Amino acid sequence: MSITIKTGAEIDAMRKACRLASEVLDYLTPFIKPGITTNEIDKLSLDYMVNVQGTKSATIGYAPPGHIPYPASLCTSVNDVVCHGIPNDTPLKDGDIVNLDVTIITPEGWYGDNSRMFVIGEGKIAAKRLCSTTFEAMWKGIEKVKPGARLGDIGHAIQTFAENAGYSVVREYCGHGIGRKFHEDPQVLHYGRPNTGVELVPGMIFTIEPMINLGKREIKEGRKGKAPYDGWTIVTKDRSLSAQWEHTVLVTETGYEVLTLSAGSPPPPDFIPAEKGTAA
Ligand code: MF3
Ligand code: CO
Ligand code: CO
């Protein structure tokens, strides 16, 4: 395992990449309403990255070992889709929940990665509670980040919070180091035991991105009816709803700095000092 420790200039480059990733979500937010299709969201996202920001999508053509190239500029995971949903032509409808996961690359070659949940239309109470609890679970993990803390402290905080709310934590996907590469060491599990795992050091940058299920934690490949597997979409095995939020976080000398913040970032939960969750 080799964890890169970012220098001052590299941290500045990551601040920019991550702010831009968050600004893509800000731009998309007013469009996320009943009737829009995830393919339309994909077009808006790509156009904003390329023609407004001058960034590139990190997901188009992304092909880790064992995968076909991912085809879209972002991931759109609706309802029982846990992650890596591929945009399609089905309109979003009242009561759906959708995760938009955006990763950009700056012209200088740095990656910023973040995702948010959106409730379409009015939304059902159970779905809204799952989304807000998952947001809080992410922040319970972020709150643990400081030099000397260990990765297990983050996972434990997220797992305890989510399970106490009656939900389950997906085990197969995790947060990750990020920088000049999309996925770097370390792996950041969203479950675990306190005081275990890698010790955090100033200059580390990684994502925290818990996937939380309303039902059981097991997952499977997603497909519609008898359709062949698309190679990416992951759904809950029991087809219960799943939610996810993601931030990219820097370990500072005294604690943490959330890098994926911008003017439209949702305010942090009450247990977080407001300035820690607000763009400078
Ligand atoms: N953005 C996702 C993450 O948080 C990865 C998506 S890979 C893709 O790590 F190929 F599915 F887009
Ligand atoms: Co992501
Ligand atoms: Co990520």
Side-chain angles (χ1 to χ4, degrees), residues 73-135:
S73 74
L74 80 172
C75 298
T76 58
S77 300
V78 180
N79 294 338
D80 61 351
V81 178
V82 172
C83 62
H84 304 163
I86 296 175
N88 61 34
D89 280 321
T90 309
L92 294 173
K93 58 181 192 306
D94 202 88
D96 284 346
I97 60 171
V98 59
N99 174 274
L100 303 184
D101 191 341
V102 165
T103 313
I104 62 89
I105 316 172
T106 62
E108 298 78 30
W110 296 91
Y111 288 70
D113 184 8
N114 68 164
S115 83
R116 299 181 197 162
M117 291 303 296
F118 298 81
V119 178
I120 307 303
E122 190 55 27
K124 301 191 186 71
I125 286 175
K128 288 192 278 192
R129 178 177 175 268
L130 175 68
C131 294
S132 61
T133 303
T134 304
F135 181 67

Side-chain angles (χ1 to χ4, degrees), residues 210-232:
M211 279 145 270
I212 306 292
N213 297 348
L214 188 58
K216 296 198 168 70
R217 67 177 173 85
E218 283 77 18
I219 58 164
K220 61 179 183 181
E221 295 178 348
R223 62 188 85 208
K224 274 190 180 157
K226 292 197 192 318
Y229 184 49
D230 65 20
W232 281 99

Side-chain angles (χ1 to χ4, degrees), residues 130-148:
L130 175 68
C131 294
S132 61
T133 303
T134 304
F135 181 67
E136 289 174 5
M138 171 185 68
W139 276 102
K140 286 285 176 189
I142 292 172
E143 197 181 36
K144 293 290 172 194
V145 174
K146 63 173 182 201

Side-chain angles (χ1 to χ4, degrees), residues 170-225:
V170 171
R171 302 290 207 271
E172 290 81 355
Y173 297 91
C174 57
H176 49 92
I178 183 167
R180 279 195 177 280
K181 294 202 199 102
F182 195 163
H183 295 105
E184 298 182 354
D185 287 333
Q187 297 198 54
V188 181
L189 304 185
H190 304 115
Y191 61 92
R193 283 173 296 118
N195 207 28
T196 62
V198 170
E199 186 176 319
L200 306 187
V201 172
M204 285 182 182
I205 298 180
F206 51 79
T207 72
I208 298 180
E209 49 178 304
M211 279 145 270
I212 306 292
N213 297 348
L214 188 58
K216 296 198 168 70
R217 67 177 173 85
E218 283 77 18
I219 58 164
K220 61 179 183 181
E221 295 178 348
R223 62 188 85 208
K224 274 190 180 157

Side-chain angles (χ1 to χ4, degrees), residues 154-168:
I154 299 172
H156 180 74
I158 293 169
Q159 179 181 17
T160 332
F161 187 77
E163 290 181 353
N164 283 343
Y167 301 139
S168 64

